[in-house]
Amino acid sequence: MGIGELTRPFVMEYLPNEWTNFPRGHEISTNHPIPRGTKVHSHRFPISNIDQRSTVALNFIAATITIECSAPLLNRSPLKPPGVAAGDILPLLSNRKSEDIRCWRPLAVHGAVTGVSLSDAADIRNFTWDDFDVVFDTRAAVIGMSDTDADEERPHFRARLELPGADPLDNVFVAERSGVVVGCAIAAVEPSIGRAVGEFGVIEGGRGQGVGRLLLARLERRADEAGVAVHQVNVHHTNRVLRSFMGTSGYERIRTFNELKYRPAPAYLEGDYRPLPVGVSLRPFVSGADEADLASVQNAAFEGSFGFAPNTPEQIAGYVAMRGVPGDILIAEDVASGDVIGYVWTSVTEGEAETSGMIEMTGVRPDQRGRGVGSAVIAAGLRHLRERSASVIDLEVDGENLSARRIYKDLGFKKVGEQFWYQKSVTR
């Protein structure tokens, strides 16, 4: 099909009334003449982006822009380069990289082509603190959080957004349709290790309409704005829909974390007991005194580990405040020098059915490894959680961390699930 030939075109109308997020992944599927899987992109003008060649007719009608497409399309076209008259047929430019940028809100889809599937526009906007409750409730609905758990988690979520470096006004996004919030997304930007980690979700009534794709694209754009190289998303192994979605969105699965579970033995059996090495003592974390030492040990213990971004003392203080129980962190000290050489960070959640504990993180200073400090500190954390009435204890471990997996297996942990990490380059 040559330039100028339009066969049964369909029409999309755009009104340039306000800039609206409408990025990569807005899908058009037709039986004829547009190839199935055509994607429309934007940068202050409509852009078509697929792998085949074609033409796009741009007609300027009053305040709207009408786009008539014929198959197959090229990669890119500006809206109205100099000298283009209404109704002119423009050859599109190829060999240019697609972008996640902005275009005008789509108002309507018309035409004789059958099988057109174009998601209704959703506004993707930045979070404000007035959105806190609706964003939390949306996230809780997506996760399937119980009312009891939501009541406990709400202040923790606020504390999370208030952490140093969280910057929610830049890193949290809200998806609205007709003024109703249907989804949200959160970016954790970690420039020190060149990545951003995104989480996003859409409520049940808003799924299957392209909102999730818009949120993901906004997260990718945020990663690019922050100057990091990659965007990563963590997906539970049971979420087959999201796993498939990540694959079709250009993501590669790069890492697997194991979910482990442990049911403590009765205290009198002391099945998880491991003695502290001679010359090592254990005490609770002290707020206002231990933040710098804990940050130093944690950063040394996990340097170079997958997904670990070094923490500052201020960030440690924020994490402690978020959970609200400093005593759930146990500090291992060298008795002779008083130096902090290891730690175990635990937490407790009181659920409707049972109280669960979590080993959030544990580490030992590299020069103190091989003495049995690590297993003794973890065992002390298990005993602490048992004393806090936890009937089940969970943790997550990098599947490639074989030494840690051996310790947890020896202590009685069993693998119960997996989490997959997906990654996509956002470098232009």
Side-chain angles (χ1 to χ4, degrees):
M1 179 174 292
I3 290 177
E5 297 181 42
L6 292 176
T7 305
R8 301 175 63 204
F10 68 90
V11 176
M12 294 180 294
E13 293 182 350
Y14 290 81
L15 177 64
N17 56 350
E18 70 177 63
W19 292 107
T20 302
N21 294 315
F22 188 55
R24 179 184 324 171
H26 189 75
E27 296 182 355
I28 304 167
S29 298
T30 70
N31 295 333
H32 181 80
I34 306 301
R36 186 170 183 81
T38 297
K39 297 181 185 298
V40 172
H41 296 238
S42 56
H43 184 11
R44 301 191 182 183
F45 41 72
I47 297 172
S48 298
N49 180 44
I50 60 170
D51 294 331
Q52 303 179 60
R53 291 181 156 307
S54 184
T55 60
V56 168
L58 302 182
N59 300 288
F60 303 95
I61 305 174
T64 67
I65 301 157
T66 301
I67 309 166
E68 299 180 349
C69 301
S70 63
L73 299 176
L74 273 183
N75 285 347
R76 184 171 293 253
S77 175
L79 176 60
K80 190 177 180 183
V84 175
D88 281 358
I89 306 297
L90 303 179
L92 302 188
L93 306 176
S94 60
N95 302 320
R96 294 187 61 184
K97 188 172 182 181
S98 62
E99 300 180 67
D100 293 332
I101 29 194
R102 295 179 175 185
C103 79
W104 290 280
R105 180 198 305 265
L107 297 182
V109 178
H110 312 284
V113 177
T114 59
V116 175
S117 173
L118 182 62
S119 65
D120 293 335
D123 288 324
I124 310 296
R125 61 173 178 80
N126 284 63
F127 167 89
T128 71
W129 280 107
D130 290 339
D131 297 315
F132 175 78
D133 285 327
V134 69
V135 167
F136 176 82
D137 292 340
T138 299
R139 184 171 176 270
V142 170
I143 295 172
M145 194 179 298
S146 70
D147 291 342
T148 300
D149 289 346
D151 290 341
E152 181 174 349
E153 181 60 26
R154 191 179 297 269
H156 296 159
F157 184 65
R158 178 176 287 275
R160 172 186 171 184
L161 298 187
E162 292 173 342
L163 285 171
D167 301 327
L169 302 185
D170 293 325
N171 294 327
V172 179
F173 307 100
V174 179
E176 286 183 324
R177 179 179 287 121
S178 302
V180 177
V181 174
V182 294
C184 60
I186 304 172
V189 180
E190 299 174 337
S192 62
I193 57 173
R195 76 168 188 174
V197 177
E199 65 171 87
F200 63 103
V202 180
I203 62 173
E204 187 172 352
R207 293 172 189 164
Q209 301 172 53
V211 180
R213 195 174 294 277
L214 295 176
L215 285 169
L216 179 60
R218 186 61 185 92
L219 288 169
E220 292 171 3
R221 181 152 64 92
R222 177 65 190 119
D224 181 60
E225 292 167 351
V228 298
V230 297
H231 181 249
Q232 296 178 350
V233 177
N234 179 255
V235 182
H236 195 267
H237 78 277
T238 58
N239 195 338
R240 296 183 181 276
V241 172
L242 185 53
R243 286 166 55 187
S244 175
F245 177 79
M246 300 311 298
T248 60
S249 299
Y251 282 74
E252 177 187 6
R253 196 169 93 185
I254 59 167
R255 206 80 164 199
T256 299
F257 272 54
N258 295 335
E259 295 178 334
L260 307 181
K261 190 176 291 290
Y262 172 72
R263 291 196 176 273
Y268 65 86
L269 292 178
E270 295 188 334
D272 51 19
Y273 178 71
R274 297 292 185 279
L276 286 167
V278 175
V280 177
S281 64
L282 202 66
R283 63 170 177 80
F285 175 91
V286 178
S287 291
D290 286 329
E291 287 83 358
D293 285 336
L294 180 52
S296 177
V297 171
Q298 187 182 78
N299 292 343
F302 287 93
E303 183 179 8
S305 297
F306 172 81
F308 179 75
N311 288 310
T312 65
E314 293 75 21
Q315 288 173 318
I316 294 293
Y319 293 135
V320 174
M322 183 169 68
R323 302 312 303 182
V325 187
D328 281 343
I329 306 171
L330 303 180
I331 299 294
E333 284 185 332
D334 179 80
V335 174
S337 66
D339 292 341
V340 175
I341 62 172
Y343 73 100
V344 59
W345 194 320
T346 72
S347 65
V348 174
T349 301
E350 296 181 1
E352 297 177 353
E354 61 182 352
T355 297
S356 62
M358 183 80 180
I359 301 291
E360 302 279 359
M361 214 167 190
T362 183
V364 175
R365 211 170 68 191
D367 64 351
Q368 296 294 318
R369 292 172 182 162
R371 300 176 55 193
V373 177
S375 60
V377 167
I378 296 167
L382 298 179
R383 293 197 303 277
H384 172 77
L385 290 172
R386 183 172 58 196
E387 291 166 1
R388 293 261 276 131
S389 301
S391 58
V392 62
I393 299 172
D394 300 296
L395 64 80
E396 299 165 9
V397 60
D398 187 342
E400 298 184 16
N401 189 341
L402 300 182
S403 61
R405 289 172 59 188
R406 281 194 294 269
I407 291 174
Y408 297 137
K409 182 178 180 180
D410 184 50
L411 286 166
F413 280 88
K414 307 293 184 184
K415 181 178 173 181
V416 295
E418 292 179 318
Q419 296 184 19
F420 301 133
W421 281 92
Y422 290 84
Q423 177 174 291
K424 180 179 183 180
S425 173
V426 294
T427 303
R428 297 197 186 284

